[in-house]
Amino acid sequence: MDDLPPIMDYNIRNGRTYMYFKGKPLFPFGYGLSYTSFEYSNLRKSSSRLHADGSITVSVNVKNTGARAGDEVVQMYIRDVVASVARPVKELKGFKRITLKPGEKQRVEYTLGPEHLGFYNRDMKFVVEPGEFKVMIGSSSEDVIEKSFVVVAR
């Protein structure tokens, strides 16, 4: 409880949610228990650079490393590293539920476009600013693997 702001502080930027919390949570956003275990590997992106109105495809391998079949919710988070306004440390931008048998592996793919990378600036205009972005994919907001890419201006 010492890591959280006072209960009457409703400003999420003060660390009330996974999007702005900078500590190590006991139960990260997306945390769940399973009767099996999963391994994430080989995170790929279709490009290292894209235009603000373009798109990029990211994909990851997910393997059931346990002895039972199970469901996994593959979560994708984005971070705009440097922006003109305060942005979250990470934002959930997609998730997919998959079912895998023991030893089975599946490639999970997401397409990121302006609707995932943009935000409303100080003038309340929806923008995708040039700069570095991080994409993180994993089983929770803390258990992720990540890659970077750059958005360039037209």
Side-chain angles (χ1 to χ4, degrees):
M1 292 302 292
D2 294 338
D3 293 335
L4 296 175
I7 195 67
M8 296 308 290
D9 182 352
Y10 295 110
N11 185 346
I12 66 170
R13 288 191 175 105
N14 291 337
R16 177 68 56 196
T17 74
Y18 80 93
M19 293 178 2
Y20 293 95
F21 187 68
K22 293 187 173 101
K24 181 80 173 157
L26 291 174
F27 298 100
F29 183 79
Y31 173 84
L33 296 175
S34 177
Y35 288 107
T36 192
S37 56
F38 298 93
E39 175 184 270
Y40 288 71
S41 64
N42 201 18
L43 177 58
R44 290 188 198 159
K45 54 192 181 343
S46 61
S47 177
S48 293
R49 299 169 60 89
L50 73 143
H51 291 285
D53 59 351
S55 66
I56 185 172
T57 302
V58 293
S59 60
V60 68
N61 289 336
V62 181
K63 181 178 181 181
N64 182 339
T65 57
R68 298 174 183 245
D71 285 7
E72 176 70 333
V73 178
V74 182
Q75 301 164 41
M76 179 190 59
Y77 298 87
I78 293 294
R79 176 168 187 211
D80 186 345
V81 177
V82 178
S84 62
V85 297
R87 300 293 302 142
V89 174
K90 59 183 75 160
E91 289 180 277
L92 180 67
K93 292 295 185 170
F95 59 91
K96 294 184 179 177
R97 179 181 217 95
I98 59 173
T99 302
L100 297 173
K101 296 175 185 163
E104 185 179 11
K105 180 167 55 172
Q106 184 175 334
R107 190 121 188 108
V108 178
E109 186 175 284
Y110 298 94
T111 301
L112 294 170
E115 66 275 14
H116 301 100
L117 306 175
F119 60 92
Y120 288 93
N121 66 12
R122 286 187 178 98
D123 299 325
M124 294 309 293
K125 181 178 176 190
F126 190 79
V127 296
V128 178
E129 293 182 341
E132 181 185 1
F133 284 77
K134 292 185 185 284
V135 60
M136 298 157 269
I137 299 181
S139 61
S140 76
S141 64
E142 291 295 310
D143 185 15
V144 295
I145 52 179
E146 70 178 52
K147 291 273 186 178
S148 295
F149 61 93
V150 176
V151 172
V152 294
R154 271 263 181 226

